[in-house]
Amino acid sequence: MKLRSTYLLVSHGSRDPRPQLALENLAQLLSQNLPILSNSAASSVPAVGTATLELGPAPLHEQICRFAEDTLSLGLTELQILPIFLLPGVHVAEDIPAEVEIAQKTLSPKLKIELRPHLGTQEAGLANLVKTQMQDVAFLPNLQVPKWILLSHGSRRPSGNLTVEEIANQVGAVAAYWSVKPSLEEQIESLVRDGQQQIGIVPYFLFKGGITDAIAKKVTELQQQFSTAEIHLANPLGATVELADLIGELIQK
């Protein structure tokens, strides 16, 4: 099967280098599942690239244009933009489409840019990844079944957190948010008040970074505050083969 398109993974961007390194690892994993190019340029031009909406080397539309030039050099005429975002906030709904439109007006009409749905639309697959993170947390022997909290950044946009609520429901967890209510502390306090002694927290974030560091620090403080309960923190989703496969499914839709 021939490769028909290149793919650009677009993330938010961070001053912390870890999310970008993870995104690049994810791009590499995704590229391993794509058809091999016979074009001689394939050895130096990747079929999967990365870009950031903020804090990048240039505005997103310029990053898109640069990758589009690589796409044409491979003899391909289609570039798919894949927003690697979990929530449908203003970046997904407005900012990225605006940057894509600027890039398309700048580029040759020979190249078609297609903006695909954001990663967060893969609810069933993401719920399975969350379950995997839950299974990796080892609780001390206890007759009580652990209660889980799915912790997301949260969105102030109307209906912006529906996906989080739905995934939390699928995995048997309650939702909490870092930037809006209900907060992590509020949910833990409610669970402890109900007699819960074992609590697990899954950060609904893609990669480790500044926010996940802050979450870990907060959990340590909450463990001291609610000393009658065992509070365990799972890892974020991470740049895994399974996450790359989810993006691959998004491409095929």
Side-chain angles (χ1 to χ4, degrees):
M1 185 171 65
K2 294 177 63 177
L3 187 68
R4 296 182 298 177
S5 174
T6 57
Y7 305 92
L8 189 63
L9 308 185
V10 177
S11 69
H12 181 276
S14 172
R15 292 184 175 86
D16 189 314
R18 289 173 293 173
Q20 180 59 32
L21 289 173
L23 187 69
E24 291 170 3
N25 290 337
L26 191 61
Q28 180 62 34
L29 289 171
L30 180 60
S31 67
Q32 292 172 3
N33 293 331
L34 297 176
I36 298 174
L37 277 164
S38 58
N39 192 306
S40 60
S43 60
S44 59
V45 178
V48 183
T50 66
T52 58
L53 179 62
E54 298 181 0
L55 303 169
L60 178 57
H61 64 271
E62 292 185 12
Q63 297 175 65
I64 294 172
C65 288
R66 291 172 187 172
F67 193 67
E69 293 174 0
D70 292 340
T71 300
L72 291 170
S73 73
L74 293 173
L76 303 175
T77 57
E78 183 177 315
L79 163 58
Q80 295 191 35
I81 307 293
L82 303 168
I84 309 302
F85 287 73
L86 294 175
L87 301 181
V90 66
H91 293 322
V92 168
E94 300 175 16
D95 297 339
I96 293 177
E99 292 290 315
V100 170
E101 183 177 2
I102 294 171
Q104 186 66 83
K105 290 179 179 178
T106 304
L107 291 167
S108 164
K110 294 181 180 179
L111 186 133
K112 175 187 175 184
I113 300 179
E114 184 176 1
L115 178 59
R116 303 307 302 268
H118 70 286
L119 177 60
T121 59
Q122 296 285 76
E123 292 179 16
L126 288 167
N128 287 334
L129 294 186
V130 169
K131 289 179 183 177
T132 298
Q133 300 307 90
M134 293 165 63
Q135 292 166 359
D136 288 342
V137 174
F139 288 90
L140 295 176
N142 192 306
L143 294 177
Q144 188 182 57
V145 176
K147 186 63 180 179
W148 287 93
I149 298 173
L150 184 65
L151 177 62
S152 169
H153 182 278
S155 171
R156 291 182 173 83
R157 289 174 64 88
S159 305
N161 298 317
L162 284 180
T163 299
V164 180
E165 302 287 343
E166 290 170 2
I167 291 178
N169 184 59
Q170 289 182 46
V171 302
V174 295
Y177 302 96
W178 191 247
S179 63
V180 297
K181 291 182 176 295
S183 68
L184 179 61
E185 182 173 355
E186 288 171 335
Q187 292 292 49
I188 289 179
E189 182 178 10
S190 175
L191 292 174
V192 171
R193 189 169 56 245
D194 290 342
Q196 192 67 40
Q197 297 176 352
Q198 297 205 65
I199 299 171
I201 302 164
V202 182
Y204 191 56
F205 292 80
L206 288 169
F207 311 124
K208 290 183 177 180
I211 293 182
T212 58
D213 286 350
I215 290 170
K217 181 179 179 181
K218 183 65 175 178
V219 169
T220 299
E221 296 172 355
L222 291 171
Q223 179 65 83
Q224 296 173 350
Q225 180 179 347
F226 300 102
S227 57
T228 60
E230 296 173 16
I231 304 176
H232 299 263
L233 180 63
N235 288 315
L237 300 179
T240 63
V241 172
E242 291 76 16
L243 185 59
D245 289 343
L246 269 189
I247 298 172
E249 293 175 13
L250 200 59
I251 289 172
Q252 295 171 10
K253 284 187 176 180

PDB file of all heavy atoms in Angstrom, residues 86 130 133 149-152 201-206 212 215 233-237:
ATOM      1  N   LEU A  86      -6.941  16.511  24.289  1.00  0.00           N
ATOM      2  CA  LEU A  86      -7.950  15.658  24.897  1.00  0.00           C
ATOM      3  C   LEU A  86      -9.301  16.345  25.033  1.00  0.00           C
ATOM      4  O   LEU A  86     -10.334  15.677  25.036  1.00  0.00           O
ATOM      5  CB  LEU A  86      -7.473  15.181  26.273  1.00  0.00           C
ATOM      6  CG  LEU A  86      -6.252  14.245  26.261  1.00  0.00           C
ATOM      7  CD1 LEU A  86      -5.806  13.943  27.688  1.00  0.00           C
ATOM      8  CD2 LEU A  86      -6.568  12.953  25.514  1.00  0.00           C
ATOM      9  N   VAL A 130      -7.050   4.659  29.981  1.00  0.00           N
ATOM     10  CA  VAL A 130      -7.208   5.040  31.386  1.00  0.00           C
ATOM     11  C   VAL A 130      -7.284   3.794  32.264  1.00  0.00           C
ATOM     12  O   VAL A 130      -6.673   3.732  33.344  1.00  0.00           O
ATOM     13  CB  VAL A 130      -8.460   5.924  31.571  1.00  0.00           C
ATOM     14  CG1 VAL A 130      -8.792   6.096  33.053  1.00  0.00           C
ATOM     15  CG2 VAL A 130      -8.242   7.289  30.930  1.00  0.00           C
ATOM     16  N   GLN A 133      -3.876   2.479  32.911  1.00  0.00           N
ATOM     17  CA  GLN A 133      -3.164   3.246  33.933  1.00  0.00           C
ATOM     18  C   GLN A 133      -3.667   2.882  35.332  1.00  0.00           C
ATOM     19  O   GLN A 133      -2.883   2.834  36.282  1.00  0.00           O
ATOM     20  CB  GLN A 133      -3.338   4.749  33.697  1.00  0.00           C
ATOM     21  CG  GLN A 133      -2.824   5.242  32.342  1.00  0.00           C
ATOM     22  CD  GLN A 133      -1.394   4.828  32.074  1.00  0.00           C
ATOM     23  OE1 GLN A 133      -1.128   3.774  31.502  1.00  0.00           O
ATOM     24  NE2 GLN A 133      -0.462   5.654  32.506  1.00  0.00           N
ATOM     25  N   ILE A 149     -10.549   8.578  40.877  1.00  0.00           N
ATOM     26  CA  ILE A 149     -10.831   9.936  40.416  1.00  0.00           C
ATOM     27  C   ILE A 149     -10.114  10.137  39.094  1.00  0.00           C
ATOM     28  O   ILE A 149      -8.909   9.866  38.988  1.00  0.00           O
ATOM     29  CB  ILE A 149     -10.344  10.993  41.432  1.00  0.00           C
ATOM     30  CG1 ILE A 149     -11.080  10.836  42.754  1.00  0.00           C
ATOM     31  CG2 ILE A 149     -10.533  12.400  40.877  1.00  0.00           C
ATOM     32  CD1 ILE A 149     -10.544  11.737  43.860  1.00  0.00           C
ATOM     33  N   LEU A 150     -10.842  10.571  38.081  1.00  0.00           N
ATOM     34  CA  LEU A 150     -10.233  10.938  36.804  1.00  0.00           C
ATOM     35  C   LEU A 150     -10.015  12.445  36.822  1.00  0.00           C
ATOM     36  O   LEU A 150     -10.973  13.220  36.822  1.00  0.00           O
ATOM     37  CB  LEU A 150     -11.138  10.534  35.640  1.00  0.00           C
ATOM     38  CG  LEU A 150     -10.580  10.782  34.233  1.00  0.00           C
ATOM     39  CD1 LEU A 150      -9.350   9.914  33.976  1.00  0.00           C
ATOM     40  CD2 LEU A 150     -11.638  10.512  33.163  1.00  0.00           C
ATOM     41  N   LEU A 151      -8.754  12.847  36.851  1.00  0.00           N
ATOM     42  CA  LEU A 151      -8.411  14.265  37.004  1.00  0.00           C
ATOM     43  C   LEU A 151      -8.001  14.868  35.663  1.00  0.00           C
ATOM     44  O   LEU A 151      -6.985  14.484  35.090  1.00  0.00           O
ATOM     45  CB  LEU A 151      -7.274  14.413  38.015  1.00  0.00           C
ATOM     46  CG  LEU A 151      -6.749  15.836  38.230  1.00  0.00           C
ATOM     47  CD1 LEU A 151      -7.842  16.750  38.776  1.00  0.00           C
ATOM     48  CD2 LEU A 151      -5.539  15.825  39.162  1.00  0.00           C
ATOM     49  N   SER A 152      -8.787  15.817  35.197  1.00  0.00           N
ATOM     50  CA  SER A 152      -8.522  16.505  33.931  1.00  0.00           C
ATOM     51  C   SER A 152      -8.183  17.972  34.197  1.00  0.00           C
ATOM     52  O   SER A 152      -8.476  18.500  35.272  1.00  0.00           O
ATOM     53  CB  SER A 152      -9.753  16.411  33.030  1.00  0.00           C
ATOM     54  OG  SER A 152      -9.650  17.264  31.905  1.00  0.00           O
ATOM     55  N   ILE A 201      -5.961   8.086  41.740  1.00  0.00           N
ATOM     56  CA  ILE A 201      -6.124   9.259  40.872  1.00  0.00           C
ATOM     57  C   ILE A 201      -5.438   8.987  39.541  1.00  0.00           C
ATOM     58  O   ILE A 201      -4.253   8.648  39.508  1.00  0.00           O
ATOM     59  CB  ILE A 201      -5.511  10.514  41.518  1.00  0.00           C
ATOM     60  CG1 ILE A 201      -6.155  10.784  42.885  1.00  0.00           C
ATOM     61  CG2 ILE A 201      -5.666  11.731  40.608  1.00  0.00           C
ATOM     62  CD1 ILE A 201      -5.364  11.750  43.743  1.00  0.00           C
ATOM     63  N   VAL A 202      -6.176   9.126  38.451  1.00  0.00           N
ATOM     64  CA  VAL A 202      -5.601   9.001  37.112  1.00  0.00           C
ATOM     65  C   VAL A 202      -5.555  10.389  36.483  1.00  0.00           C
ATOM     66  O   VAL A 202      -6.603  10.991  36.244  1.00  0.00           O
ATOM     67  CB  VAL A 202      -6.427   8.068  36.207  1.00  0.00           C
ATOM     68  CG1 VAL A 202      -5.756   7.929  34.842  1.00  0.00           C
ATOM     69  CG2 VAL A 202      -6.584   6.705  36.841  1.00  0.00           C
ATOM     70  N   PRO A 203      -4.369  10.932  36.211  1.00  0.00           N
ATOM     71  CA  PRO A 203      -4.295  12.225  35.525  1.00  0.00           C
ATOM     72  C   PRO A 203      -4.687  12.055  34.052  1.00  0.00           C
ATOM     73  O   PRO A 203      -4.013  11.332  33.321  1.00  0.00           O
ATOM     74  CB  PRO A 203      -2.820  12.625  35.667  1.00  0.00           C
ATOM     75  CG  PRO A 203      -2.225  11.663  36.654  1.00  0.00           C
ATOM     76  CD  PRO A 203      -3.038  10.419  36.556  1.00  0.00           C
ATOM     77  N   TYR A 204      -5.776  12.693  33.658  1.00  0.00           N
ATOM     78  CA  TYR A 204      -6.210  12.622  32.260  1.00  0.00           C
ATOM     79  C   TYR A 204      -5.432  13.676  31.463  1.00  0.00           C
ATOM     80  O   TYR A 204      -5.969  14.685  30.995  1.00  0.00           O
ATOM     81  CB  TYR A 204      -7.710  12.839  32.160  1.00  0.00           C
ATOM     82  CG  TYR A 204      -8.294  12.535  30.800  1.00  0.00           C
ATOM     83  CD1 TYR A 204      -8.113  11.288  30.207  1.00  0.00           C
ATOM     84  CD2 TYR A 204      -9.031  13.490  30.103  1.00  0.00           C
ATOM     85  CE1 TYR A 204      -8.645  11.002  28.966  1.00  0.00           C
ATOM     86  CE2 TYR A 204      -9.576  13.215  28.858  1.00  0.00           C
ATOM     87  CZ  TYR A 204      -9.377  11.969  28.292  1.00  0.00           C
ATOM     88  OH  TYR A 204      -9.905  11.699  27.055  1.00  0.00           O
ATOM     89  N   PHE A 205      -4.137  13.411  31.355  1.00  0.00           N
ATOM     90  CA  PHE A 205      -3.198  14.256  30.624  1.00  0.00           C
ATOM     91  C   PHE A 205      -2.377  13.342  29.726  1.00  0.00           C
ATOM     92  O   PHE A 205      -2.187  12.158  30.033  1.00  0.00           O
ATOM     93  CB  PHE A 205      -2.267  15.013  31.580  1.00  0.00           C
ATOM     94  CG  PHE A 205      -2.971  16.066  32.405  1.00  0.00           C
ATOM     95  CD1 PHE A 205      -3.698  15.715  33.535  1.00  0.00           C
ATOM     96  CD2 PHE A 205      -2.902  17.405  32.052  1.00  0.00           C
ATOM     97  CE1 PHE A 205      -4.349  16.679  34.293  1.00  0.00           C
ATOM     98  CE2 PHE A 205      -3.552  18.373  32.807  1.00  0.00           C
ATOM     99  CZ  PHE A 205      -4.274  18.014  33.922  1.00  0.00           C
ATOM    100  N   LEU A 206      -1.882  13.893  28.636  1.00  0.00           N
ATOM    101  CA  LEU A 206      -1.134  13.069  27.695  1.00  0.00           C
ATOM    102  C   LEU A 206       0.236  12.673  28.234  1.00  0.00           C
ATOM    103  O   LEU A 206       0.586  11.493  28.271  1.00  0.00           O
ATOM    104  CB  LEU A 206      -0.981  13.802  26.362  1.00  0.00           C
ATOM    105  CG  LEU A 206      -2.258  13.913  25.531  1.00  0.00           C
ATOM    106  CD1 LEU A 206      -2.049  14.882  24.384  1.00  0.00           C
ATOM    107  CD2 LEU A 206      -2.650  12.539  24.998  1.00  0.00           C
ATOM    108  N   THR A 212       1.607  17.920  35.671  1.00  0.00           N
ATOM    109  CA  THR A 212       1.623  16.641  36.375  1.00  0.00           C
ATOM    110  C   THR A 212       2.566  16.683  37.575  1.00  0.00           C
ATOM    111  O   THR A 212       2.318  16.015  38.586  1.00  0.00           O
ATOM    112  CB  THR A 212       2.007  15.490  35.436  1.00  0.00           C
ATOM    113  OG1 THR A 212       3.292  15.742  34.850  1.00  0.00           O
ATOM    114  CG2 THR A 212       0.963  15.325  34.332  1.00  0.00           C
ATOM    115  N   ILE A 215       0.518  18.314  40.183  1.00  0.00           N
ATOM    116  CA  ILE A 215      -0.478  17.367  40.686  1.00  0.00           C
ATOM    117  C   ILE A 215       0.156  16.424  41.712  1.00  0.00           C
ATOM    118  O   ILE A 215      -0.421  16.158  42.773  1.00  0.00           O
ATOM    119  CB  ILE A 215      -1.096  16.568  39.521  1.00  0.00           C
ATOM    120  CG1 ILE A 215      -1.993  17.481  38.671  1.00  0.00           C
ATOM    121  CG2 ILE A 215      -1.892  15.376  40.034  1.00  0.00           C
ATOM    122  CD1 ILE A 215      -2.456  16.852  37.382  1.00  0.00           C
ATOM    123  N   LEU A 233      -1.393   7.823  43.063  1.00  0.00           N
ATOM    124  CA  LEU A 233      -1.407   8.586  41.811  1.00  0.00           C
ATOM    125  C   LEU A 233      -0.864   7.747  40.670  1.00  0.00           C
ATOM    126  O   LEU A 233       0.271   7.260  40.725  1.00  0.00           O
ATOM    127  CB  LEU A 233      -0.571   9.864  41.973  1.00  0.00           C
ATOM    128  CG  LEU A 233      -0.468  10.780  40.756  1.00  0.00           C
ATOM    129  CD1 LEU A 233      -1.842  11.324  40.368  1.00  0.00           C
ATOM    130  CD2 LEU A 233       0.509  11.925  41.030  1.00  0.00           C
ATOM    131  N   ALA A 234      -1.671   7.579  39.632  1.00  0.00           N
ATOM    132  CA  ALA A 234      -1.230   6.871  38.434  1.00  0.00           C
ATOM    133  C   ALA A 234      -0.456   7.819  37.515  1.00  0.00           C
ATOM    134  O   ALA A 234      -0.348   9.023  37.788  1.00  0.00           O
ATOM    135  CB  ALA A 234      -2.442   6.291  37.698  1.00  0.00           C
ATOM    136  N   ASN A 235       0.074   7.283  36.447  1.00  0.00           N
ATOM    137  CA  ASN A 235       0.791   8.079  35.449  1.00  0.00           C
ATOM    138  C   ASN A 235      -0.181   8.648  34.422  1.00  0.00           C
ATOM    139  O   ASN A 235      -1.272   8.104  34.226  1.00  0.00           O
ATOM    140  CB  ASN A 235       1.822   7.221  34.725  1.00  0.00           C
ATOM    141  CG  ASN A 235       3.001   6.875  35.605  1.00  0.00           C
ATOM    142  OD1 ASN A 235       3.539   7.730  36.302  1.00  0.00           O
ATOM    143  ND2 ASN A 235       3.418   5.620  35.592  1.00  0.00           N
ATOM    144  N   PRO A 236       0.198   9.734  33.728  1.00  0.00           N
ATOM    145  CA  PRO A 236      -0.594  10.182  32.578  1.00  0.00           C
ATOM    146  C   PRO A 236      -0.532   9.143  31.462  1.00  0.00           C
ATOM    147  O   PRO A 236       0.172   8.128  31.590  1.00  0.00           O
ATOM    148  CB  PRO A 236       0.082  11.499  32.186  1.00  0.00           C
ATOM    149  CG  PRO A 236       1.468  11.390  32.721  1.00  0.00           C
ATOM    150  CD  PRO A 236       1.373  10.584  33.975  1.00  0.00           C
ATOM    151  N   LEU A 237      -1.216   9.381  30.375  1.00  0.00           N
ATOM    152  CA  LEU A 237      -1.352   8.365  29.335  1.00  0.00           C
ATOM    153  C   LEU A 237      -0.007   7.944  28.739  1.00  0.00           C
ATOM    154  O   LEU A 237       0.265   6.762  28.564  1.00  0.00           O
ATOM    155  CB  LEU A 237      -2.286   8.871  28.231  1.00  0.00           C
ATOM    156  CG  LEU A 237      -3.713   9.205  28.692  1.00  0.00           C
ATOM    157  CD1 LEU A 237      -4.540   9.710  27.526  1.00  0.00           C
ATOM    158  CD2 LEU A 237      -4.380   7.999  29.345  1.00  0.00           C
TER     159      LEU A 237
END
